[in-house]
Amino acid sequence: YVKLIQNFLDFGVELDGIGIQAHMRNAVSPPRILRALDKLAKFGLPLVITEYDHLIFHEESQARYMRDFLTAVFSHPAVEGFFMWGFWDGMHFRDNAPLYHRDWRLKKGGREYLDLVFREWTTQGHAVTDAHGLIEIAGFPGEYVFEVDGDGVPRHYRGQLEGGTAPLSVVV
């Protein structure tokens, strides 16, 4: 895959990013996942995990692997997205989707996904500005929606928080 990408670049093909099919046949360790991502990140292009699913049939093991896999890929600075091949057993080609059983009961792996993405890795907070109109809140890179109430009328603003320590300014 690395050679293919390098050949494209050598022939002047413009690439916007690298999609990584993630049909996981075995439980690959987080360090091995990170080493593979490092090899692809050397091209300086955004990485996106596509088609995630797994061949793990024990529900507890599915859940542990979902947490490990997501933690590894989202910890890598080059990864910008994550897509599943299917999330529900009723429409998954292996009848072994990561999130939901055929009867729509949430799997333990689905609970891990929801807990990470919508709780642990979601930034929520409330703050009052200082005398200069500034606040400081630590957050994950990504898009934010701010509700600002300066005169008793809440207004919503959007902003993109980049990685590192770059500030995000919202002008009211």
Side-chain angles (χ1 to χ4, degrees):
Y1 202 44
V2 169
K3 287 180 185 178
L4 177 65
I5 294 166
Q6 188 61 59
N7 285 339
F8 281 146
L9 295 173
D10 290 346
F11 282 102
V13 176
E14 291 185 28
L15 301 177
D16 294 327
I18 299 171
I20 304 161
Q21 290 185 9
H23 297 290
M24 306 306 291
R25 292 188 180 115
N26 301 307
V28 179
S29 71
R32 186 168 168 208
I33 292 167
L34 292 171
R35 284 193 303 272
L37 293 172
D38 284 343
K39 286 179 185 177
L40 295 171
K42 75 177 186 175
F43 294 107
L45 296 165
L47 306 179
V48 176
I49 304 302
T50 65
E51 304 179 26
Y52 174 80
D53 67 1
H54 51 243
L55 276 176
I56 303 167
F57 288 93
H58 181 261
E59 197 166 335
E60 292 287 339
S61 298
Q62 285 178 350
R64 279 193 304 276
Y65 192 66
M66 173 66 82
R67 181 179 256 310
D68 289 349
F69 189 85
L70 286 172
T71 301
V73 299
F74 280 113
S75 73
H76 198 284
V79 174
E80 293 189 4
F82 176 85
F83 296 93
M84 290 185 203
W85 183 249
F87 60 91
W88 172 53
D89 283 348
M91 290 296 288
H92 194 273
F93 75 108
R94 290 183 176 146
D95 195 33
N96 184 34
L99 302 185
Y100 292 95
H101 292 283
R102 185 175 292 278
D103 63 4
W104 288 102
R105 283 180 298 116
L106 186 63
K107 292 183 175 186
K108 291 177 181 174
R111 173 56 49 213
E112 289 291 343
Y113 175 84
L114 294 173
D115 284 346
L116 287 172
V117 174
F118 294 105
R119 289 193 193 144
E120 189 173 329
W121 295 342
T122 297
T123 304
Q124 295 183 7
H126 179 271
V128 176
T129 61
D130 64 17
H132 303 287
L134 302 174
I135 62 169
E136 188 172 314
I137 297 175
F140 291 99
E143 185 176 336
Y144 282 79
V145 176
F146 299 91
E147 181 177 284
V148 179
D149 183 351
D151 55 5
V153 179
R155 291 179 182 83
H156 291 89
Y157 300 88
R158 292 188 177 278
Q160 185 74 25
L161 182 62
E162 302 299 331
T165 59
L168 170 62
S169 297
V170 176
V171 179
V172 180

